[in-house]
Amino acid sequence: MLVAERRELLLARLAADGKVLAKDVAAELGVSEDSIRRDLRDLAAAGLCQRVYGGALPVSPALADYASRTAIAVDGKDRVAAVAAALVRPGSTVILDGGTTTLAVANALPKDLEATVVTHSPTVAVALLGHHGIEVFLLGGRLFRHSAVTCGAAAAEAAQSISADVFLLGVTGVHPEAGLTTGDADEAAMKRALARRAADTYVLASAEKLGTASRFTVLPFADVAGVITDADDQNVQKLAEGGVAILRA
């Protein structure tokens, strides 16, 4: 089998099974595991998969640039946002993460809601300008353009003064084995810093993020109160079986 044919097979297996195990594919094709690992490394470099220990997982579409992500799974994000918005109680303090799903949450909040929103997302802050009962605190820092959020030391330090009831967390990948992941190390660290400042953290997970993974771990499932998702597949079932609370959107 030619290298190109082998890589096409790996991508087809990834799409069909949701993962590739290098050892199993190597035995099936009669090639070395090193050959399969090289294939997966090259596919990952091309953005076609996410390498993990022993193989690869599907790469998250949420790694695309911010403008492109605004057109991905719009209906699913709106359904997730509606459930998430209902978690924001009058008089409470909520931390809104950055990204297109949390922007949908901001738009879904009732216009007459009186609450406090802390965010490191300029786009989320601007979306709340018309919510006159919401006090908005915008955390400053280095602007990470991919997700239109601030991060880095200044943003993390500013987060230390926050005490919130709920953190609505956005991630790029939600996988029963790989966990909650995102594509940038500094952004992952900022998300952890924000999660430590809230009593409860809920994950915003529209269907396209389920079963995918990115490079950097954000939090273990044990540290979140639940996952809000419109997905209904084997990944959701595995999460539920593992004790993760699922809020259906």
Side-chain angles (χ1 to χ4, degrees):
M1 180 178 287
L2 298 174
V3 172
E5 293 176 319
R6 194 169 66 222
R7 293 179 181 179
E8 287 296 326
L9 183 147
L10 289 170
L11 291 175
R13 187 67 52 83
L14 195 63
D17 299 342
K19 64 180 178 180
V20 166
L21 298 177
K23 180 179 180 181
D24 292 350
V25 176
E28 177 185 337
L29 300 182
V31 299
S32 69
E33 285 188 51
D34 284 343
S35 294
I36 300 300
R37 284 195 288 269
R38 281 195 299 272
D39 290 339
L40 294 176
R41 184 166 58 247
D42 289 344
L43 290 172
L48 299 175
C49 71
Q50 176 60 51
R51 293 181 69 207
V52 295
Y53 180 79
L57 297 172
V59 68
S60 172
L63 291 175
D65 62 87
Y66 189 89
S68 298
R69 297 201 318 275
T70 60
I72 296 174
V74 175
D75 290 343
K77 290 175 183 176
D78 285 345
R79 288 192 291 271
V80 169
V83 174
L87 296 174
V88 182
R89 305 300 184 189
S92 66
T93 297
V94 59
I95 302 172
L96 283 186
D97 202 352
T100 55
T101 308
T102 44
L103 181 59
V105 174
N107 291 326
L109 293 173
K111 290 290 185 180
D112 60 349
L113 176 68
E114 294 188 359
T116 299
V117 169
V118 180
T119 184
H120 63 315
S121 168
T123 55
V124 167
V126 170
L128 293 171
L129 286 176
H131 293 71
H132 299 292
I134 295 180
E135 190 78 19
V136 180
F137 287 86
L138 179 60
L139 304 179
R142 179 180 66 85
L143 183 65
F144 178 51
R145 287 178 171 82
H146 175 269
S147 297
V149 296
T150 59
C151 58
E157 183 177 353
Q160 301 311 306
S161 63
I162 301 167
S163 291
D165 300 289
V166 175
F167 174 36
L168 298 178
L169 166 67
V171 294
T172 57
V174 180
H175 192 280
E177 298 170 15
L180 302 168
T181 55
T182 195
D184 180 81
D186 285 344
E187 189 182 19
M190 186 63 189
K191 292 175 187 293
R192 286 192 293 272
L194 293 172
R196 287 193 290 268
R197 308 310 304 172
D200 291 309
T201 295
Y202 290 90
V203 181
L204 309 177
S206 46
E208 81 280 3
K209 297 174 183 176
L210 269 293
T212 70
S214 299
R215 290 179 64 193
F216 299 99
T217 299
V218 177
L219 290 172
F221 287 111
D223 286 357
V224 302
V227 173
I228 307 170
T229 185
D230 61 323
D232 186 14
D233 60 12
Q234 62 179 356
N235 293 295
V236 176
Q237 182 179 347
K238 288 179 180 178
L239 290 176
E241 290 172 351
V244 179
I246 305 296
L247 284 69
R248 305 281 182 175

